[in-house]
Amino acid sequence: MTIEELKQLALDCGFHHVGDLDADTIEMHVEARDACAENKCHSYGKNWNCPPGCGTLEECSERVHSYKRGVIVETTGTMEDAFDFECWEKLGKDHKVHFDKFAKEVRREFPGALVLGDGACSNCKECTYPDAPCRFPELQSANMEAYGMIVSEVCQRNNINYYWGPGTVTFVGCVLVE
């Protein structure tokens, strides 16, 4: 499967925007990790795909930079106002559905792909971290920020919009395959 076919697959899975991803453009930032450590999502230290379970910043960087190319995927929606949490929640659920479907197909075509999504892994009701190995390592997808990425920067450096205008919200993920 070519990158162009992979991008079409992403669109077929329901994403609104898809772009090329060059791994050389990705920088890891301690600030992104520091944001994870604030534990606003309540997953820090409780999930194999969140810090510290996903590895050190250096290990994540090494993993990312062992690839050359991939794709960025986005689900974007328009909120009625800044407090339209229903839209935000629905869009997040839609993005997860798109992402899970896409990740399954990507892993079939590229078994060694690095799949990085939005939010903590939620494959299990309760993660085994840190007491036992992951039950489903073949389904893992860490969060881009957990790896130390600033999502808006990754999008900008790869010529895909992150901000689609006033009142919009965008959920982003990526896969590295080559």
Side-chain angles (χ1 to χ4, degrees):
M1 176 177 281
T2 67
I3 292 292
E4 290 306 312
E5 290 170 326
L6 187 61
K7 287 165 50 179
Q8 184 58 54
L9 173 64
L11 292 170
D12 293 344
C13 287
F15 293 107
H16 298 121
H17 312 285
V18 179
D20 293 314
L21 176 59
D22 176 351
D24 289 339
T25 66
I26 301 172
E27 287 185 29
M28 306 316 179
H29 299 274
V30 71
E31 298 85 5
R33 271 297 179 86
D34 289 347
C36 283
E38 291 177 16
N39 201 22
K40 291 179 182 175
C41 70
H42 309 289
S43 296
Y44 186 86
K46 297 177 183 171
N47 190 303
W48 279 110
N49 291 295
C50 291
C54 64
T56 66
L57 202 56
E58 293 76 20
E59 290 167 334
C60 291
S61 180
E62 192 174 302
R63 223 172 282 136
V64 164
H65 293 106
S66 70
Y67 296 86
K68 290 290 177 207
R69 297 181 50 178
V71 297
I72 298 172
V73 295
E74 297 179 338
T75 305
T76 302
T78 303
M79 300 185 300
E80 289 183 26
D81 58 45
F83 301 102
D84 188 356
F85 298 114
E86 288 177 14
C87 173
W88 187 288
E89 197 171 90
K90 181 186 180 322
L91 197 64
K93 287 178 183 175
D94 290 349
H95 182 75
K96 180 167 176 29
V97 168
H98 303 158
F99 198 78
D100 289 349
K101 181 178 180 183
F102 181 59
K104 182 178 180 181
E105 293 300 319
V106 166
R107 288 181 174 116
R108 188 176 325 201
E109 290 290 326
F110 301 95
L114 179 59
V115 179
L116 300 171
D118 182 274
C121 178
S122 60
N123 290 321
C124 300
K125 187 174 181 174
E126 190 173 321
C127 185
T128 60
Y129 183 82
D131 301 320
C134 175
R135 292 180 193 99
F136 304 104
E138 73 283 359
L139 299 177
Q140 285 187 356
S141 65
N143 180 307
M144 291 174 70
E145 288 92 345
Y147 264 54
M149 297 178 202
I150 296 174
V151 176
S152 59
E153 176 185 274
V154 174
C155 291
Q156 178 188 23
R157 289 182 175 185
N158 287 278
N159 301 310
I160 185 168
N161 286 342
Y162 175 74
Y163 175 69
W164 291 92
T168 63
V169 62
T170 299
F171 289 84
V172 181
C174 69
V175 297
L176 290 158
V177 296
E178 298 179 341

